[in-house]
Amino acid sequence: MPELSYREAVRDALSQAMRQDEDVFVMGEDIAEMGGSMGVTAGMLDEFGRERIRNTPISEIAIVGAGIGAAMQGMRPVVEVMYEDFLTVSMEQIVNQAAKHRYMSGGQLKVPLTIRTQGGAGWSPGAQHAQQVEAWFVHVPGLKVVFASTAADARGLLWSSIYDDNPVLFFEHRSLYPLKEEVPEELAPVPLGKGRVHREGDDVTVIATGRLVHEALKAAATAEDDGVSVEVVDPRTLQPLDEELLVESVKKTNRCVVAHEAVARMGFGAEVAAVVQQQAFDWLDAPVERVGAKFTPVPFAPAMENYVIPQADDVLHAIRRSVGRA
């Protein structure tokens, strides 16, 4: 099987969709000659030309608004918002337009729009370029929300997002772009709403998203040395959520840790904890533990940034608290 980085996997999904379907095109700031701020669309201008790899003005509300219009006219646009922090500028278009048209038209209109964006801390980008804001959009009916943690999942989930008839927010974490893994030669679509067990275990379930999947796997390996068997589950799509997979895992292990990089207060993990408590209360032998960033803007200084955002040790401490070994 070929080995692809997360960055290459996203590019491969975009390119394959564009080769097979002339209705698919990409637009965003600096995505043509520059290849995007993170190099994801590098080289695509040469293959597809300016009509399908379209540079835009620096206006997120215009980028998303144009994408909505194109989607409603039957195309399948993929728009790139350079940093997820900048989704705030296009919030009206996403929340009040893209999310509502299909419902308000009684299904006569579809909005097959994919909004790719990236973010996350770990490289000192500062408070305005390091947030994780996925929970905002999970709260909005009419939107689907994806957060892939591996190259193979990014490739398969992006394909499914492009061919979904609803608007999809597709989150990528900046620190994952260089990570490589073997992927199937043929692109395998990953259905939205289906999670993945990365590691099986018996004593505690860690439900993690994005970068924290990898931190959870590190913590699980350390916990194993202490005789604690950890199951690591990645929802992959936050909306729709694979509640069945998460609940079945917790019923198996009787304990649960929820981990994400976003601020813990009102984060996506709170919803997961509520689902687990509601559907697996009688199986829980300990309270659900939550791991997330501290309630502060992300600092610029590397030492402070690492203190604020969760690491493998934070997940490990939560695992130990759950099994009574803290």
Side-chain angles (χ1 to χ4, degrees), residues 273-287:
V275 168
V276 169
Q277 185 276 147
Q278 183 182 48
Q279 299 186 35
F281 180 79
D282 290 338
W283 283 265
L284 286 171
D285 290 339

PDB file of all heavy atoms in Angstrom, residues 273-287:
ATOM      1  N   ALA A 273     -19.940  13.173  27.124  1.00  0.00           N
ATOM      2  CA  ALA A 273     -20.135  12.742  28.510  1.00  0.00           C
ATOM      3  C   ALA A 273     -21.618  12.597  28.823  1.00  0.00           C
ATOM      4  O   ALA A 273     -22.033  11.657  29.518  1.00  0.00           O
ATOM      5  CB  ALA A 273     -19.483  13.744  29.461  1.00  0.00           C
ATOM      6  N   ALA A 274     -22.441  13.512  28.312  1.00  0.00           N
ATOM      7  CA  ALA A 274     -23.884  13.438  28.543  1.00  0.00           C
ATOM      8  C   ALA A 274     -24.491  12.204  27.872  1.00  0.00           C
ATOM      9  O   ALA A 274     -25.348  11.524  28.452  1.00  0.00           O
ATOM     10  CB  ALA A 274     -24.563  14.708  28.027  1.00  0.00           C
ATOM     11  N   VAL A 275     -24.058  11.916  26.653  1.00  0.00           N
ATOM     12  CA  VAL A 275     -24.549  10.724  25.940  1.00  0.00           C
ATOM     13  C   VAL A 275     -24.186   9.457  26.703  1.00  0.00           C
ATOM     14  O   VAL A 275     -25.014   8.558  26.900  1.00  0.00           O
ATOM     15  CB  VAL A 275     -23.967  10.683  24.512  1.00  0.00           C
ATOM     16  CG1 VAL A 275     -24.214   9.320  23.863  1.00  0.00           C
ATOM     17  CG2 VAL A 275     -24.567  11.783  23.655  1.00  0.00           C
ATOM     18  N   VAL A 276     -22.946   9.377  27.153  1.00  0.00           N
ATOM     19  CA  VAL A 276     -22.492   8.196  27.897  1.00  0.00           C
ATOM     20  C   VAL A 276     -23.255   8.049  29.207  1.00  0.00           C
ATOM     21  O   VAL A 276     -23.715   6.964  29.570  1.00  0.00           O
ATOM     22  CB  VAL A 276     -20.972   8.286  28.152  1.00  0.00           C
ATOM     23  CG1 VAL A 276     -20.532   7.225  29.151  1.00  0.00           C
ATOM     24  CG2 VAL A 276     -20.201   8.142  26.840  1.00  0.00           C
ATOM     25  N   GLN A 277     -23.414   9.159  29.924  1.00  0.00           N
ATOM     26  CA  GLN A 277     -24.131   9.117  31.199  1.00  0.00           C
ATOM     27  C   GLN A 277     -25.571   8.679  31.007  1.00  0.00           C
ATOM     28  O   GLN A 277     -26.109   7.899  31.799  1.00  0.00           O
ATOM     29  CB  GLN A 277     -24.061  10.498  31.860  1.00  0.00           C
ATOM     30  CG  GLN A 277     -24.654  10.563  33.247  1.00  0.00           C
ATOM     31  CD  GLN A 277     -26.174  10.779  33.235  1.00  0.00           C
ATOM     32  OE1 GLN A 277     -26.885  10.287  34.103  1.00  0.00           O
ATOM     33  NE2 GLN A 277     -26.687  11.500  32.251  1.00  0.00           N
ATOM     34  N   GLN A 278     -26.196   9.168  29.955  1.00  0.00           N
ATOM     35  CA  GLN A 278     -27.601   8.855  29.725  1.00  0.00           C
ATOM     36  C   GLN A 278     -27.801   7.410  29.286  1.00  0.00           C
ATOM     37  O   GLN A 278     -28.739   6.738  29.729  1.00  0.00           O
ATOM     38  CB  GLN A 278     -28.174   9.793  28.665  1.00  0.00           C
ATOM     39  CG  GLN A 278     -29.671   9.584  28.398  1.00  0.00           C
ATOM     40  CD  GLN A 278     -30.183  10.509  27.315  1.00  0.00           C
ATOM     41  OE1 GLN A 278     -29.585  10.632  26.254  1.00  0.00           O
ATOM     42  NE2 GLN A 278     -31.288  11.187  27.600  1.00  0.00           N
ATOM     43  N   GLN A 279     -26.932   6.914  28.421  1.00  0.00           N
ATOM     44  CA  GLN A 279     -27.145   5.606  27.813  1.00  0.00           C
ATOM     45  C   GLN A 279     -26.359   4.471  28.461  1.00  0.00           C
ATOM     46  O   GLN A 279     -26.626   3.304  28.188  1.00  0.00           O
ATOM     47  CB  GLN A 279     -26.813   5.672  26.323  1.00  0.00           C
ATOM     48  CG  GLN A 279     -27.671   6.653  25.551  1.00  0.00           C
ATOM     49  CD  GLN A 279     -27.436   6.591  24.057  1.00  0.00           C
ATOM     50  OE1 GLN A 279     -27.189   5.526  23.491  1.00  0.00           O
ATOM     51  NE2 GLN A 279     -27.506   7.733  23.396  1.00  0.00           N
ATOM     52  N   ALA A 280     -25.397   4.806  29.319  1.00  0.00           N
ATOM     53  CA  ALA A 280     -24.589   3.740  29.927  1.00  0.00           C
ATOM     54  C   ALA A 280     -24.394   3.956  31.418  1.00  0.00           C
ATOM     55  O   ALA A 280     -23.442   3.430  32.008  1.00  0.00           O
ATOM     56  CB  ALA A 280     -23.229   3.663  29.227  1.00  0.00           C
ATOM     57  N   PHE A 281     -25.311   4.687  32.057  1.00  0.00           N
ATOM     58  CA  PHE A 281     -25.152   5.023  33.478  1.00  0.00           C
ATOM     59  C   PHE A 281     -24.988   3.777  34.351  1.00  0.00           C
ATOM     60  O   PHE A 281     -24.129   3.732  35.239  1.00  0.00           O
ATOM     61  CB  PHE A 281     -26.345   5.848  33.946  1.00  0.00           C
ATOM     62  CG  PHE A 281     -26.279   6.242  35.391  1.00  0.00           C
ATOM     63  CD1 PHE A 281     -25.485   7.297  35.796  1.00  0.00           C
ATOM     64  CD2 PHE A 281     -27.007   5.545  36.358  1.00  0.00           C
ATOM     65  CE1 PHE A 281     -25.415   7.660  37.143  1.00  0.00           C
ATOM     66  CE2 PHE A 281     -26.935   5.901  37.698  1.00  0.00           C
ATOM     67  CZ  PHE A 281     -26.136   6.965  38.087  1.00  0.00           C
ATOM     68  N   ASP A 282     -25.800   2.772  34.101  1.00  0.00           N
ATOM     69  CA  ASP A 282     -25.772   1.575  34.946  1.00  0.00           C
ATOM     70  C   ASP A 282     -24.500   0.759  34.775  1.00  0.00           C
ATOM     71  O   ASP A 282     -24.236  -0.150  35.564  1.00  0.00           O
ATOM     72  CB  ASP A 282     -26.987   0.693  34.657  1.00  0.00           C
ATOM     73  CG  ASP A 282     -28.289   1.325  35.152  1.00  0.00           C
ATOM     74  OD1 ASP A 282     -28.217   2.182  36.051  1.00  0.00           O
ATOM     75  OD2 ASP A 282     -29.361   0.961  34.628  1.00  0.00           O
ATOM     76  N   TRP A 283     -23.737   1.045  33.746  1.00  0.00           N
ATOM     77  CA  TRP A 283     -22.490   0.304  33.502  1.00  0.00           C
ATOM     78  C   TRP A 283     -21.263   1.051  34.035  1.00  0.00           C
ATOM     79  O   TRP A 283     -20.179   0.487  34.114  1.00  0.00           O
ATOM     80  CB  TRP A 283     -22.306   0.055  32.000  1.00  0.00           C
ATOM     81  CG  TRP A 283     -23.160  -1.041  31.457  1.00  0.00           C
ATOM     82  CD1 TRP A 283     -22.816  -2.358  31.275  1.00  0.00           C
ATOM     83  CD2 TRP A 283     -24.518  -0.929  31.009  1.00  0.00           C
ATOM     84  NE1 TRP A 283     -23.864  -3.061  30.744  1.00  0.00           N
ATOM     85  CE2 TRP A 283     -24.933  -2.212  30.562  1.00  0.00           C
ATOM     86  CE3 TRP A 283     -25.429   0.117  30.937  1.00  0.00           C
ATOM     87  CZ2 TRP A 283     -26.202  -2.462  30.063  1.00  0.00           C
ATOM     88  CZ3 TRP A 283     -26.691  -0.121  30.434  1.00  0.00           C
ATOM     89  CH2 TRP A 283     -27.074  -1.404  30.008  1.00  0.00           C
ATOM     90  N   LEU A 284     -21.434   2.327  34.388  1.00  0.00           N
ATOM     91  CA  LEU A 284     -20.285   3.129  34.800  1.00  0.00           C
ATOM     92  C   LEU A 284     -19.859   2.810  36.229  1.00  0.00           C
ATOM     93  O   LEU A 284     -20.671   2.830  37.149  1.00  0.00           O
ATOM     94  CB  LEU A 284     -20.611   4.616  34.697  1.00  0.00           C
ATOM     95  CG  LEU A 284     -20.656   5.218  33.286  1.00  0.00           C
ATOM     96  CD1 LEU A 284     -21.211   6.634  33.345  1.00  0.00           C
ATOM     97  CD2 LEU A 284     -19.277   5.208  32.651  1.00  0.00           C
ATOM     98  N   ASP A 285     -18.571   2.529  36.394  1.00  0.00           N
ATOM     99  CA  ASP A 285     -18.007   2.285  37.722  1.00  0.00           C
ATOM    100  C   ASP A 285     -17.260   3.504  38.261  1.00  0.00           C
ATOM    101  O   ASP A 285     -16.700   3.446  39.367  1.00  0.00           O
ATOM    102  CB  ASP A 285     -17.039   1.092  37.670  1.00  0.00           C
ATOM    103  CG  ASP A 285     -17.767  -0.231  37.457  1.00  0.00           C
ATOM    104  OD1 ASP A 285     -18.978  -0.296  37.746  1.00  0.00           O
ATOM    105  OD2 ASP A 285     -17.127  -1.199  37.001  1.00  0.00           O
ATOM    106  N   ALA A 286     -17.227   4.576  37.483  1.00  0.00           N
ATOM    107  CA  ALA A 286     -16.551   5.813  37.903  1.00  0.00           C
ATOM    108  C   ALA A 286     -17.139   6.967  37.098  1.00  0.00           C
ATOM    109  O   ALA A 286     -17.707   6.750  36.025  1.00  0.00           O
ATOM    110  CB  ALA A 286     -15.047   5.705  37.665  1.00  0.00           C
ATOM    111  N   PRO A 287     -17.023   8.190  37.605  1.00  0.00           N
ATOM    112  CA  PRO A 287     -17.508   9.343  36.835  1.00  0.00           C
ATOM    113  C   PRO A 287     -16.773   9.469  35.501  1.00  0.00           C
ATOM    114  O   PRO A 287     -15.611   9.060  35.379  1.00  0.00           O
ATOM    115  CB  PRO A 287     -17.188  10.534  37.746  1.00  0.00           C
ATOM    116  CG  PRO A 287     -17.010   9.958  39.104  1.00  0.00           C
ATOM    117  CD  PRO A 287     -16.462   8.589  38.912  1.00  0.00           C
TER     118      PRO A 287
END
